[in-house]
Amino acid sequence: MTLYPDGKYRWVYEVPMLKNPSILFDVYWVLGISFGLVWLFNVLLIGCEDGLSLESLWGFTSGFLILMLVFAVIGYVAYAIVAWTYGWKYVVLFTLDEKEVVHQQMPHQMKKAKVLGALTALAGAAAGKPGVMGSGILAASRSTSTSVLANVKSIKARRRLNLIKVNQLLNKNRVFVPDEDFDFVYDFLCQHCPNAKK
């Protein structure tokens, strides 16, 4: 983790996708919510049309649970395929300052050393122009998630997974931090998120 001349902290984290299941948990959480909403909608339809008995509810729910189990297996296989295409690592560049934290997924072929080298080169090229720093990395990134710290509603630390969940109303950002910087980043976020439940 490095403080750059533009006043922003930047670091690269490589999430080992098979050893750190936090991304898979998020996939299952989304699948679970989707299945739950579809189940509830169908139960309401069945209840309105035919009347709902305990037997009909169990018959529908048991079939739904089997379908959910099938999708859980498919979800895991799909996750393993994505992890394999990423080289088993999810490479992320984080940028943190007093106003926001930015999570930028890097193209899967970019490894940590390449990202750090590019940042160093950009820092040298952008001497005297801090606003330009990182623009090349941002342009090369595949996916970006930004959390405005003033709008964060909750911060949840998961030290074992090297993860800090930074949640806004409609945006759930995942900040991965190495062990040696975990306390600093967590404390920084707590201090700069005045509306967050910690």
Side-chain angles (χ1 to χ4, degrees), residues 7-176:
K8 298 177 187 283
Y9 291 95
R10 290 185 176 86
W11 69 96
V12 175
Y13 192 88
E14 292 181 348
V15 182
M17 294 180 73
L18 293 184
K19 292 180 182 176
N20 186 332
S22 56
I23 298 170
L24 182 61
F25 290 161
D26 285 343
V27 170
Y28 280 143
W29 178 249
V30 170
L31 280 174
I33 289 173
S34 302
F35 269 91
L37 291 174
V38 171
W39 176 84
L40 182 62
F41 181 73
N42 281 296
V43 166
L44 292 173
L45 279 179
I46 292 168
C48 290
E49 289 180 2
D50 302 329
L52 195 60
S53 69
L54 192 58
E55 187 177 316
S56 66
L57 178 63
W58 174 244
F60 173 73
T61 301
S62 62
F64 207 79
L65 288 173
I66 291 169
L67 184 63
M68 195 167 140
L69 182 63
V70 169
F71 271 88
V73 171
I74 292 170
Y76 183 79
V77 171
Y79 177 81
I81 291 169
V82 169
W84 175 69
T85 62
Y86 280 14
W88 309 109
K89 291 180 181 175
Y90 177 72
V91 182
V92 192
L93 169 66
F94 292 97
T95 304
L96 173 67
D97 64 17
E98 295 178 355
K99 295 181 180 177
E100 64 186 14
V101 59
V102 180
H103 168 137
Q104 297 170 349
Q105 178 186 352
M106 304 312 298
H108 68 273
Q109 70 273 11
M110 286 190 82
K111 298 296 180 201
K112 185 175 181 177
K114 286 184 182 179
V115 176
L116 290 173
L119 272 176
T120 303
L122 285 171
K129 297 180 183 177
V132 177
M133 186 182 309
S135 60
I137 296 294
L138 178 59
S141 69
R142 304 178 108 196
S143 178
T144 302
S145 178
T146 302
S147 295
V148 177
L149 301 186
N151 299 334
V152 171
K153 299 297 180 194
S154 72
I155 301 170
K156 297 177 184 177
R158 301 289 184 262
R159 186 180 300 274
R160 191 177 62 80
L161 299 173
N162 293 92
L163 173 64
I164 302 171
K165 296 181 177 184
V166 180
N167 300 323
Q168 291 177 245
L169 186 60
L170 297 174
N171 179 23
K172 300 195 181 299
N173 205 340
R174 301 298 181 245
V175 180
F176 293 96

Side-chain angles (χ1 to χ4, degrees), residues 175-197:
V175 180
F176 293 96
V177 187
D179 290 331
E180 63 272 14
D181 297 316
F182 194 90
D183 290 328
F184 173 78
V185 173
Y186 180 72
D187 291 340
F188 187 96
L189 289 168
C190 288
Q191 290 171 12
H192 293 89
C193 297
N195 303 314
K197 184 171 66 173

